[in-house]
Amino acid sequence: MLDPAFLLAQCISGLTAAMFLFIVASGLSLIFGVLRVLNFAHGSFYMIGAYMAWQITRWAGANSVSFWIAVPGAALAVALLGGIVERLFLRHLYGREELYQLLFTYALVLILGDVARIVWGTQQLTVARPAGLAGGLEVLGIVVPHYNLFIIALGPAIALACWLLLSRTGTGRMVRAAAQDREMLAALGADVGKLYTLMFMAGSFLAGLGGALVTPVRSIVPGMDVDIIVEAFIVVVIGGLGSFWGTFLGAIIFGQVLAFGILIFPGFSIFAVFVLMALVLVVRPSGLLGREVKR
Amino acid sequence: MRPDHQVRRIPWAVLVFVAAACVPWLGSRFYTFLATDIAILALFAASLNLLLGYTGLVSFGHAAYFGIGAYTCAILMKTYGMSFALGLAAATMAAAACALVFGAFCVRSTKIYFSMLTLAFAQIVWAICFKWNSVTGGEQGLSNVPYPNLGWMSSLPMIGSLRAGDHYYLLVLVLVGVAFACLKRIVESPFGSILTAIRENPERAEFVGINVRRYQLASFVVAGAFAGWAGALFGIFNRGVFPDFAHWSKSAEVLIMAILGGIGHFWGPAVGAAILILLNQQINAYTQYWPLILGVILIVLVFVFPRGVFGAVHAGLQRLRNRRHA
């Protein structure tokens, strides 16, 4: 049962899942941290990202670079969509009760879900693995696909890049200030409205990026939006909503528990995750790395 | 937001109840079907409003308790051959018990965290219903849930000649009516006033010596129990229970019903349930894209009528009354 090859395979698959989740959940956490809006539609943005990636590879044709055009292209398209949503609708809801923000983003879930069904149909779509990463690496008798290794390397790289952006640049400083006290920042003459739009676009970009990157591994189906948003919620609850490294930690824990939960609850490994979430909430209601929220 | 405590000159609730009781004699199976659907979901939405409108807690996972009620009653009646009365009682207790456990976690968090946790717990319930094949029937759910034995109704005058569906509808109407009466008593009791105080200002409520969390939890349990009651009735009405009952889209749907009708009024959610079901019925005849339409309705609600139908009508009436007094 405790065959090292099996353990390694589970660990790798857990890490890969964790990195996809991290990319998506970090966007959710970022938007919440700055805008204080819990975006239900984040999963829908992820789904749109996946469909856009499929669409772009379709347009670009079957060649070695099409996937590498599709990924940033899809992420940018989703970022644009996010910008439009923020500018036209969301910004009018900042002063209102959370209930209305939640309902608005839920309305987006409904609308985007149907729009995707109208545009792309309900059949499963798949995207081939990019040419350079189609092979695999043999370790301990199991084959680890190169693509999974690429994702496992990409996740921490994105985390590091985001962290550097937030902690070392002027814009990052503004973002952190906005998360602390938006009125004060506005009083100091910063264009908070523009900053909010930018952050919402950045968060949406991450959702779209996650969706585009996941296409070679999972097929694109209606309903993937709801699956990922619930998982992303659990990740940020475990890690601490609004905490960047908390999200990273939460994603890794989520992935590993999901992968190894099979050993404890065969067929029900999702329960292991829920049990973990309940435990974290008992011990630290604001998440592992979350701070106690003011007000 | 404030529940309306004005003296009603016309007993609207009684009138609506009597009118609803006449539906089977219209003779259409379809009308009875719609009326049953509306009655049950009206109760479901009203139970949510105890949290939403009275206690000020935004639950995004209320369908969990509806689903637990539906599954408990259906499993007891189908698998164990128990009577409906026992099934209904057990369903209500089970929903209340789960609400107590989940609620204990949820009320520790506030605002958005509360909403997220209720959602996450509801998804656990959904996942259990979806995966536990041997008990819940898994993805296929449990179909052919037996009707309660309503043979005694056939021997009653007037009612005897009606169809089985009509008999069940009358039973539902009575049970929903009882539940509504209980809910009304609860919100008008001192307990209900404390919930309102908590909604208005939790800190101040804490200062005057109210254990806010305990009252929130109590409200959560009561709301869960009534959702379970509604769920049990719905499972039998639907002749089957499915994992979708506990899905977050169901939670969102009931939330939309409540907002659509108006969470500031006791009867608002019930009216919202009726409107949404009738609308769904109409629109489904034209298009399969009901979620798209629902999304658009929701956006209009959020931006134009945040107080719902009741809020809008109330504001209109108020304006008329003021004009008359002026």
Side-chain angles (χ1 to χ4, degrees), chain B residues 47 65 91-93 95-96 99 220-230:
Chain B
S47 76
Y65 313 101
T92 311
M93 305 283 269
F220 200 79
V221 172
V222 173
F226 281 108
W229 182 276

Side-chain angles (χ1 to χ4, degrees), chain B residues 12 16 38-39 41-43 45-46 49 180 254 256-263 265-279 308-311 313:
Chain B
W12 285 110
V16 169
I38 290 173
L41 288 179
L43 174 61
N49 200 33
F180 264 114
V254 69
I256 295 169
M257 285 175 179
I259 307 275
L260 176 62
I263 57 174
H265 194 282
F266 182 78
W267 297 107
V271 171
I275 295 174
L276 205 66
I277 290 169
L278 293 174
L279 212 59
V309 172
F310 252 98
V313 170

Side-chain angles (χ1 to χ4, degrees), chain B residues 180-192:
Chain B
F180 264 114
C182 293
L183 267 174
K184 188 102 175 97
R185 277 306 298 259
I186 290 172
V187 300
E188 285 169 359
S189 69
F191 174 75

Side-chain angles (χ1 to χ4, degrees), chain A residues 109-213:
Chain A
V109 173
L110 293 173
I111 293 172
L112 291 177
D114 260 2
V115 166
R117 272 204 293 163
I118 292 169
V119 177
W120 289 288
T122 52
Q123 74 276 33
Q124 294 196 358
L125 302 177
T126 49
V127 171
R129 266 189 266 166
L133 297 170
L137 185 71
E138 204 179 315
V139 192
L140 290 173
I142 57 158
V143 178
V144 181
H146 282 149
Y147 190 74
N148 290 25
L149 294 176
F150 163 69
I151 292 297
I152 292 173
L154 185 67
I158 289 176
L160 211 61
C162 285
W163 178 73
L164 284 175
L165 274 175
L166 283 175
S167 62
R168 295 282 184 272
T169 65
T171 314
R173 215 167 294 135
M174 296 254 282
V175 169
R176 282 180 295 138
Q180 289 282 327
D181 193 334
R182 62 178 94 161
E183 280 89 11
M184 195 61 199
L185 188 65
L188 291 174
D191 189 346
V192 177
K194 201 169 119 195
L195 192 68
Y196 273 27
T197 310
L198 213 62
M199 285 328 286
F200 196 80
M201 288 179 76
S204 309
F205 180 88
L206 287 167
L209 185 68
L213 285 170

Side-chain angles (χ1 to χ4, degrees), chain A residues 96 100 106 114 226 233 282, chain B residues 105 108 119 248 252 292 302 306:
Chain A
R96 302 265 298 272
Y100 295 106
Y106 184 74
D114 260 2
V226 173
F233 276 179
V282 173
Chain B
F105 287 107
R108 287 161 59 103
L119 172 62
W248 79 318
L292 183 68
V302 166

Side-chain angles (χ1 to χ4, degrees), chain A residues 32 36-38 40 88-90 92-93 96-104 106-111 114-115 117-118 226-227 229-230 233-234 236-237 241 267-268 270-271 274 277-278 281-283 285-286 291 293 295, chain B residues 1 52 58 60 105 108-113 115-117 119-121 123-124 126-128 131-133 203 247-250 252-253 255-256 259 263 288-296 298-299 301-303 305-307:
Chain A
F32 182 81
R36 297 278 143 191
V37 170
L38 186 60
F40 277 143
L88 287 187
F89 297 103
L90 199 57
H92 304 290
L93 294 176
R96 302 265 298 272
E97 287 160 69
E98 279 98 348
L99 173 62
Y100 295 106
Q101 299 169 356
L102 286 179
L103 285 175
F104 169 69
Y106 184 74
L108 283 184
V109 173
L110 293 173
I111 293 172
D114 260 2
V115 166
R117 272 204 293 163
I118 292 169
V226 173
D227 294 341
I229 192 69
V230 173
F233 276 179
I234 296 171
V236 295
V237 165
L241 197 50
F268 286 81
I270 189 75
F271 288 132
F274 285 128
M277 184 188 79
L281 285 172
V282 173
V283 184
S286 48
R291 280 163 302 151
V293 205
R295 78 174 180 174
Chain B
M1 268 307 191
L52 200 62
V58 182
F60 232 94
F105 287 107
R108 287 161 59 103
S109 340
T110 52
K111 302 244 171 191
I112 216 96
Y113 294 84
S115 307
M116 275 177 74
L117 279 185
L119 172 62
F121 280 115
Q123 286 303 106
I124 301 182
W126 175 80
I128 292 174
K131 294 239 171 163
W132 200 5
N133 274 311
E203 286 85 11
H247 197 254
W248 79 318
S249 53
K250 193 87 183 164
E253 194 183 293
L255 199 58
I256 295 169
I259 307 275
I263 57 174
Q288 51 166 321
Y289 296 111
W290 165 246
L292 183 68
I293 310 266
L294 186 59
V296 173
L298 194 48
I299 288 188
L301 259 183
V302 166
F303 284 97
F305 302 109
R307 297 266 172 274

Side-chain angles (χ1 to χ4, degrees), chain B:
Chain B
M1 268 307 191
R2 186 166 305 134
D4 196 355
H5 286 308
Q6 279 184 337
V7 183
R8 275 169 296 134
R9 290 175 203 87
I10 310 164
W12 285 110
V14 178
L15 283 183
V16 169
F17 185 82
V18 170
C22 296
V23 166
W25 283 275
L26 293 175
S28 159
R29 193 169 291 196
F30 180 65
Y31 286 146
T32 304
F33 173 87
L34 267 186
T36 319
D37 200 8
I38 290 173
I40 297 173
L41 288 179
L43 174 61
F44 184 27
S47 76
L48 174 68
N49 200 33
L50 186 64
L51 291 174
L52 200 62
Y54 288 92
T55 322
L57 293 171
V58 182
S59 169
F60 232 94
H62 203 53
Y65 313 101
F66 185 79
I68 289 167
Y71 269 97
T72 309
C73 186
I75 290 168
L76 288 180
M77 285 180 71
K78 190 188 176 193
T79 317
Y80 298 97
M82 282 192 191
S83 72
F84 170 69
L86 270 178
L88 181 65
T92 311
M93 305 283 269
C98 288
L100 181 67
V101 175
F102 295 161
F105 287 107
C106 297
V107 299
R108 287 161 59 103
S109 340
T110 52
K111 302 244 171 191
I112 216 96
Y113 294 84
F114 177 86
S115 307
M116 275 177 74
L117 279 185
T118 50
L119 172 62
F121 280 115
Q123 286 303 106
I124 301 182
V125 173
W126 175 80
I128 292 174
C129 297
F130 196 82
K131 294 239 171 163
W132 200 5
N133 274 311
S134 55
V135 174
T136 63
E139 198 178 349
Q140 308 299 319
L142 286 177
S143 46
N144 296 323
V145 174
Y147 253 171
N149 185 5
L150 296 175
W152 52 273
M153 275 197 187
S154 310
S155 57
L156 296 176
M158 307 261 302
I159 297 172
S161 55
L162 294 170
R163 283 182 290 258
D166 294 323
H167 286 160
Y168 184 64
Y169 168 65
L170 291 175
L171 178 72
V172 164
L173 204 59
V174 170
L175 290 173
V176 166
V178 168
F180 264 114
C182 293
L183 267 174
K184 188 102 175 97
R185 277 306 298 259
I186 290 172
V187 300
E188 285 169 359
S189 69
F191 174 75
S193 309
I194 292 180
L195 295 186
T196 312
I198 291 173
R199 179 199 72 206
E200 288 297 318
N201 195 330
E203 286 85 11
R204 235 180 243 185
E206 194 90 56
F207 285 153
V208 298
I210 296 168
N211 187 334
V212 170
R213 276 185 186 171
R214 190 169 300 165
Y215 273 95
Q216 285 176 332
L217 182 57
S219 170
F220 200 79
V221 172
V222 173
F226 281 108
W229 182 276
L233 294 176
F234 193 81
I236 295 167
F237 160 63
N238 198 37
R239 306 309 307 274
V241 288
F242 305 97
D244 276 7
F245 286 14
H247 197 254
W248 79 318
S249 53
K250 193 87 183 164
S251 298
E253 194 183 293
V254 69
L255 199 58
I256 295 169
M257 285 175 179
I259 307 275
L260 176 62
I263 57 174
H265 194 282
F266 182 78
W267 297 107
V271 171
I275 295 174
L276 205 66
I277 290 169
L278 293 174
L279 212 59
N280 184 2
Q281 217 41 257
Q282 289 298 313
I283 287 172
N284 271 343
Y286 298 104
T287 166
Q288 51 166 321
Y289 296 111
W290 165 246
L292 183 68
I293 310 266
L294 186 59
V296 173
I297 293 174
L298 194 48
I299 288 188
V300 172
L301 259 183
V302 166
F303 284 97
V304 189
F305 302 109
R307 297 266 172 274
V309 172
F310 252 98
V313 170
H314 191 78
L317 285 179
Q318 204 73 42
R319 209 168 301 147
L320 270 181
R321 209 169 294 158
N322 287 348
R323 199 171 295 163
R324 207 176 301 152
H325 283 305

